[in-house]
Amino acid sequence: RALRPVRGDPGDDPPRDALRGRTALVTGANRGIGKAIAAGLAGLGATVLLTVRDGAKGEQARAEIIAEHPDAD
């Protein structure tokens, strides 16, 4: 039996400020799933601390996340 994707109702998404006032620490935040998680948390209003191995790549990821979410902290 094949699995099929489950699609949620867009109304199930949390509000844009759902994490306002919260702080999240994301490891490996300069690429891949870590960066995607950091961007998602920023989009929900969290203050996101990016932990990376390479400072220059971390700054680049930060700039990209802020470009995507201008209100990000």
Side-chain angles (χ1 to χ4, degrees):
R1 184 171 138 190
L3 297 176
R4 60 184 170 83
V6 177
R7 297 182 184 204
D9 180 351
D12 292 342
D13 290 344
R16 290 182 52 96
D17 63 347
L19 296 178
R20 182 95 35 223
R22 302 288 189 141
T23 301
L25 174 68
V26 180
T27 60
N30 64 312
R31 63 186 181 130
I33 192 72
K35 183 178 173 187
I37 290 170
L41 292 169
L44 292 174
T47 296
V48 182
L49 306 175
L50 309 177
T51 57
V52 299
R53 291 184 192 176
D54 183 315
K57 289 181 181 178
E59 284 298 323
Q60 181 180 354
R62 177 184 174 276
E64 292 170 2
I65 292 169
I66 289 176
E68 184 179 344
H69 303 284
D71 295 333
D73 183 20

